[in-house]
Amino acid sequence: MGENGKPHCKLQSNLPSKFALAILIASLAGGCATVEQRPAALEDARIAVDAARTNPQVISLAPIELNDAVAAYQRAFAVYRSEGDTVEVRHLAYVARQRAGIAQETAVLKGAELAISNANAERDRVKLLARTREVEDAGRAAAAAQARADASQQDALAAQQQAQAAQEQARQSQNEALLSRQQARDAEVQSALLAAELRDIKATATDRGMVITLSDVLFDTGSAKLRSGALRIIDRLAVFLREHPDRTLAVEGFTDSVGSAVVNEELSRRRAEAVRAALMDAGIDGSRVVARGYGDSYPVATNDTADGRQRNRRVEIVISDDHGTITPRVAGYSVPRR
């Protein structure tokens, strides 16, 4: 019971503001056992303070202003309890109502500021996200451009290598062509030299190749002994064989049909062997020379005349090709080509 016999409730002003505010509101709502009719100014202040206290936005955004309003109302209520309805009570009630309004307006203002701040933060976040995406897109574009540049460089390098390979191939083809022409010229020269050499040893072209014919007059009559003319030819033939080691010879002896076949075959063989022996004496390996006697076989002319019989008495030296091959003899005449 306060002074003048008026009831009042003791407020715990030293409690935290939220607890004090709760206690105040409870007491205003009927916490005291006896509540007389309050002055209108004080009731209006209570309603304003209660409205601010129940506003979550005020509690969170304007706690200081709310505490000031509560404190002002507490002072007004305390004075009213002790002194009654006085000018000071109405003044303090006015102050409490104004501070409650200030708390509401502060909460609204700070809420707006917070909304603006949040909007700015969201805008900045969106800008940052957009910028990040732009940077990422630029990075991907740069990577793609670099990949294209690398691919182009690789293509250019491959094209350069192909061009170099083509140039090298062209050079090789040119060198091969030059070599082929040189070889052809060398072959022509060799062929010309060979032809001159064959002409020098009196070789004649036949179906079997180049053939040197030693006539009967180059042997002693009825003998296999070579005369000096035949030896000069054999010496030149030996020079040719030494210069052409890939060539071989077939030395084939022949007679006319006068006399027995056995005697004729033996004479023709001995004359062929005499030629082979003379070549070996000149330094030619005997494995390169084959000697055969055919007697009166393979005549090149008729045996009915003296001239024909003399032509049939001969030794033919067949020169192989550059592979050492000699065409086998066939039946019939072996007439030199003119």
Side-chain angles (χ1 to χ4, degrees), residues 201 230-240 242 278-279 282:
I201 57 177
L231 291 175
R232 286 193 297 271
I233 295 175
I234 289 174
D235 287 339
R236 290 198 297 272
L237 178 58
V239 172
F240 172 83
R242 283 192 291 270
L279 287 169

Side-chain angles (χ1 to χ4, degrees), residues 186-209:
D186 292 345
E188 291 176 357
V189 172
Q190 292 297 325
S191 178
L193 292 175
L194 178 62
E197 292 173 353
L198 291 173
R199 284 194 302 271
D200 184 61
I201 57 177
K202 309 300 183 181
T204 305
T206 70
D207 293 337
R208 298 181 66 195

Side-chain angles (χ1 to χ4, degrees), residues 272-323:
E273 289 288 353
V275 173
R276 179 174 182 271
L279 287 169
M280 292 174 64
D281 290 340
I284 303 304
D285 191 339
S287 63
R288 298 175 61 189
V289 184
V290 176
R292 300 186 183 93
Y294 290 101
D296 57 6
S297 300
Y298 305 105
V300 295
T302 179
N303 282 303
D304 295 334
T305 64
D307 179 67
R309 287 191 296 273
Q310 184 179 11
R311 292 175 58 192
N312 287 333
R313 295 190 297 270
R314 71 198 186 279
V315 171
E316 292 182 358
I317 304 172
V318 184
I319 303 172
S320 73
D321 58 20
D322 54 3
H323 299 294

Side-chain angles (χ1 to χ4, degrees), residues 7 16 118 133 149 159 167 196 205 239 255-256 282 284 290-291 319:
N118 291 338
R133 289 177 178 173
Q167 291 176 353
V239 172
T255 66
D256 59 22
I284 303 304
V290 176
I319 303 172

Side-chain angles (χ1 to χ4, degrees), residues 116-324:
I116 293 173
S117 177
N118 291 338
N120 290 336
E122 179 62 18
R123 181 193 61 197
D124 293 341
R125 188 188 69 83
V126 172
K127 286 184 177 179
L128 178 60
L129 180 60
R131 181 56 182 165
T132 300
R133 289 177 178 173
E134 289 177 358
V135 171
E136 292 175 349
D137 291 342
R140 285 191 291 269
Q146 184 63 44
R148 290 193 297 270
D150 292 342
S152 298
Q153 185 178 8
Q154 291 295 327
D155 292 341
L157 180 60
Q160 182 180 6
Q161 291 175 344
Q162 291 176 353
Q164 291 175 348
Q167 291 176 353
E168 181 63 25
Q169 186 175 4
R171 283 195 295 269
Q172 291 180 355
S173 298
Q174 185 178 10
N175 292 336
E176 291 174 357
L178 291 174
L179 180 61
S180 296
R181 287 195 292 270
Q182 184 61 43
Q183 290 175 342
R185 286 193 295 268
D186 292 345
E188 291 176 357
V189 172
Q190 292 297 325
S191 178
L193 292 175
L194 178 62
E197 292 173 353
L198 291 173
R199 284 194 302 271
D200 184 61
I201 57 177
K202 309 300 183 181
T204 305
T206 70
D207 293 337
R208 298 181 66 195
M210 301 304 294
V211 176
I212 301 171
T213 301
L214 303 180
S215 66
D216 179 55
V217 298
L218 297 176
F219 293 90
D220 289 343
T221 302
S223 169
K225 183 178 180 180
L226 290 167
R227 292 181 176 177
S228 59
L231 291 175
R232 286 193 297 271
I233 295 175
I234 289 174
D235 287 339
R236 290 198 297 272
L237 178 58
V239 172
F240 172 83
L241 291 175
R242 283 192 291 270
E243 293 176 351
H244 300 278
D246 50 349
R247 305 277 179 163
T248 60
L249 301 179
V251 182
E252 300 172 346
F254 304 91
T255 66
D256 59 22
S257 61
V258 177
S260 69
V262 173
V263 172
N264 288 336
E265 183 175 348
E266 175 64 18
L267 178 60
S268 66
R269 183 186 61 78
R270 286 191 297 109
R271 285 184 171 181
E273 289 288 353
V275 173
R276 179 174 182 271
L279 287 169
M280 292 174 64
D281 290 340
I284 303 304
D285 191 339
S287 63
R288 298 175 61 189
V289 184
V290 176
R292 300 186 183 93
Y294 290 101
D296 57 6
S297 300
Y298 305 105
V300 295
T302 179
N303 282 303
D304 295 334
T305 64
D307 179 67
R309 287 191 296 273
Q310 184 179 11
R311 292 175 58 192
N312 287 333
R313 295 190 297 270
R314 71 198 186 279
V315 171
E316 292 182 358
I317 304 172
V318 184
I319 303 172
S320 73
D321 58 20
D322 54 3
H323 299 294

